[in-house]
Amino acid sequence: MGMFDFRSLEDHSFKTEWGTLDCYNHRASAYHLTLFPYFDAYLKKNGLIPSVQWPQGKRFCLALSHDVDNIGYYSLSEKLNMIKRSLSQARGLKKAGVVALIRSCLQWGRGAKNKVLSRTDPYHCFEKWLEIEDRYRAKSTFFFSTPVPLELQEIEDCAYLLEDYLQFDGEKIQVTDLMRQLNQRGWEVGLHPAIQTHKNLALLEQQKKMIDKILPQPIQSVRQHFLMFDPMTTPQIHSRAGFSFDSTYGFNKQVGFRAGTSFPFYFQDSTTLELPLIIQDVSMFRHLSAMGLGLTAAKELIGQIMQRVANVGGVMTVLWHPNTIAAVDPEYAEMYLKAYEFLLDLAQKEGAWITSVGEAGRYFKENLEPTVKTAFQDLDVKDLGKFVSCMTEPPFPNRL
């Protein structure tokens, strides 16, 4: 679905500490619209978008996903890779590199201590996600990273290796085995590539080929690490690398509708279908750099956003990081887990088709794309103020 130039919605003059654009850059923030699929609501109110039918007669779609940023909390391999990377950065006297080096050394020491004591690694909890989703007959997408050359790594990149070990279903297996088992059981495996890949096609292709060699079929879905995304270049890079679906386009510091729509769409000159990311776990709960919500407020927000997506028959794409339910901090682990279970419970009650990013994208392309594309073709977004009037509830910032 081609729509319009998304640059017109955002101010590119400043970025977050991670180098990304966020809700504060968005023109819709001035109208308090970012928590609403305002384009969808406008088209529906004016009778320009027909009823959308998802499989089994479901009224909207919930696309589940997990970004695998870490494999082990005590992993000596990950900590060693972090030390190597930090040393490389610290040699250039970069402050971030020096700080990361100190932190990595301390983490390596902690990991070595717990290895000696043979403690169970709390991050080895992938089977728990499968058990939870199985209860709802749902599948999700697990986005994995793969190694890249040291000189192309950023401090924030994932540090695990494909040959690293973890405990899964009572067995000691490698990351490659975990990918194969997830794939065999019907879950989707996608790529969570290095930060530089959002502007580096060759590196992205290299990382994709690593996973393609592991699985019996090429992977189809991608999500950029730290949501690194340039609307003018990244979609074309995804397309040329052979990805069918991306789910990067969203906010790091807030939940909501960065594209103003819950429906998948195409960026200009790209054949990769974008499923915009609507809710990210850490965006809700992280205190210092995000919304800092408690569980009660998070549930209220999840319910509000889900109802807004359900009202227009769109796709609610969500991200929960696998390690968040690890018992490193029991209070936070319980909050992340209860919020995810609440999300699935509510989605089932509200009549959602719960599936993976890839399955949601495939169904949309095969069944709904022409209908939705027609509705968006002539949408004029120069005056965002006109979309406020289509809200069924006032979009005031103090609702939460």
Side-chain angles (χ1 to χ4, degrees), residues 63-69 141-145 190-194 197 204 219-229 234 238 243 245-250 274-280 317-321 357:
L64 306 175
S65 66
H66 311 283
D67 291 357
V68 184
D69 290 343
T141 302
F142 284 85
F143 291 103
F144 286 87
S145 185
L191 179 63
H192 193 46
T197 60
L204 183 64
I219 56 173
Q220 300 294 311
S221 301
V222 61
R223 176 179 291 129
Q224 295 293 143
H225 190 40
F226 269 70
L227 305 187
M228 296 298 293
F229 195 92
T234 310
H238 288 165
F243 286 103
F245 312 108
D246 174 62
S247 184
T248 302
Y249 200 65
E274 184 68 32
L275 284 78
L277 177 61
I278 310 302
I279 290 183
Q280 179 181 190
T317 307
V318 302
L319 159 60
W320 252 253
H321 292 80
V357 169

Side-chain angles (χ1 to χ4, degrees), residues 209-318:
K209 287 177 182 176
M210 290 183 190
I211 298 183
D212 285 346
K213 291 178 180 178
I214 296 167
L215 303 179
Q217 73 286 326
I219 56 173
Q220 300 294 311
S221 301
V222 61
R223 176 179 291 129
Q224 295 293 143
H225 190 40
F226 269 70
L227 305 187
M228 296 298 293
F229 195 92
D230 182 342
M232 293 305 297
T233 58
T234 310
Q236 292 77 28
I237 289 174
H238 288 165
S239 181
R240 292 171 64 187
F243 286 103
S244 299
F245 312 108
D246 174 62
S247 184
T248 302
Y249 200 65
F251 298 129
N252 268 309
K253 298 193 172 189
Q254 181 182 296
V255 303
F257 302 86
R258 183 174 174 182
T261 179
S262 61
F263 288 106
F265 59 89
Y266 294 96
F267 282 94
Q268 194 171 19
D269 300 323
S270 175
T271 59
T272 301
L273 187 67
E274 184 68 32
L275 284 78
L277 177 61
I278 310 302
I279 290 183
Q280 179 181 190
D281 53 357
V282 294
S283 298
M284 288 192 297
F285 296 127
R286 193 167 45 202
H287 283 272
L288 295 179
S289 58
M291 300 179 79
L293 301 181
L295 181 60
T296 300
K299 286 181 177 180
E300 182 183 354
L301 180 58
I302 289 169
Q304 289 177 356
I305 289 183
M306 185 178 293
Q307 194 57 55
R308 291 161 192 168
V309 174
N311 286 342
V312 297
V315 182
M316 181 174 170
T317 307
V318 302

Side-chain angles (χ1 to χ4, degrees), residues 104-349:
S104 299
C105 289
L106 291 173
Q107 290 175 343
W108 189 89
R110 181 179 59 199
K113 173 186 173 182
N114 286 287
K115 282 286 185 181
V116 170
L117 296 175
S118 299
R119 290 178 177 169
T120 302
D121 197 308
Y123 280 8
H124 296 173
C125 57
F126 287 91
E127 61 268 39
K128 189 165 186 177
W129 290 101
L130 273 57
E131 291 168 6
I132 294 169
E133 291 166 6
D134 254 339
R135 295 204 300 263
Y136 299 87
R137 298 181 180 178
K139 297 292 190 290
S140 62
T141 302
F142 284 85
F143 291 103
F144 286 87
S145 185
T146 61
V148 297
L150 183 61
E151 64 272 15
L152 295 176
Q153 293 181 24
E154 302 287 347
I155 289 294
E156 298 86 358
D157 276 329
C158 302
Y160 57 87
L161 303 176
L162 295 177
E163 59 267 27
D164 283 351
Y165 283 93
L166 71 151
Q167 290 291 324
F168 178 74
D169 267 356
E171 296 182 11
K172 186 178 182 180
I173 65 172
Q174 292 182 310
V175 175
T176 52
D177 300 317
L178 176 61
M179 292 182 187
R180 292 189 188 101
Q181 289 209 33
L182 290 172
N183 181 73
Q184 290 169 3
R185 298 184 189 195
W187 272 259
E188 182 185 21
V189 172
L191 179 63
H192 193 46
I195 286 175
Q196 288 198 25
T197 60
H198 81 286
K199 56 183 179 182
N200 187 327
L201 173 61
L203 185 59
L204 183 64
E205 289 177 326
Q206 175 185 324
Q207 288 196 279
K208 184 178 187 298
K209 287 177 182 176
M210 290 183 190
I211 298 183
D212 285 346
K213 291 178 180 178
I214 296 167
L215 303 179
Q217 73 286 326
I219 56 173
Q220 300 294 311
S221 301
V222 61
R223 176 179 291 129
Q224 295 293 143
H225 190 40
F226 269 70
L227 305 187
M228 296 298 293
F229 195 92
D230 182 342
M232 293 305 297
T233 58
T234 310
Q236 292 77 28
I237 289 174
H238 288 165
S239 181
R240 292 171 64 187
F243 286 103
S244 299
F245 312 108
D246 174 62
S247 184
T248 302
Y249 200 65
F251 298 129
N252 268 309
K253 298 193 172 189
Q254 181 182 296
V255 303
F257 302 86
R258 183 174 174 182
T261 179
S262 61
F263 288 106
F265 59 89
Y266 294 96
F267 282 94
Q268 194 171 19
D269 300 323
S270 175
T271 59
T272 301
L273 187 67
E274 184 68 32
L275 284 78
L277 177 61
I278 310 302
I279 290 183
Q280 179 181 190
D281 53 357
V282 294
S283 298
M284 288 192 297
F285 296 127
R286 193 167 45 202
H287 283 272
L288 295 179
S289 58
M291 300 179 79
L293 301 181
L295 181 60
T296 300
K299 286 181 177 180
E300 182 183 354
L301 180 58
I302 289 169
Q304 289 177 356
I305 289 183
M306 185 178 293
Q307 194 57 55
R308 291 161 192 168
V309 174
N311 286 342
V312 297
V315 182
M316 181 174 170
T317 307
V318 302
L319 159 60
W320 252 253
H321 292 80
N323 60 298
T324 55
I325 64 169
V328 176
D329 185 329
E331 182 180 349
Y332 270 90
E334 184 179 23
M335 183 166 63
Y336 279 88
L337 177 59
K338 285 187 174 181
Y340 193 66
E341 291 177 327
F342 171 81
L343 168 82
L344 293 171
D345 271 331
L346 186 61
Q348 191 173 69
K349 292 173 185 176

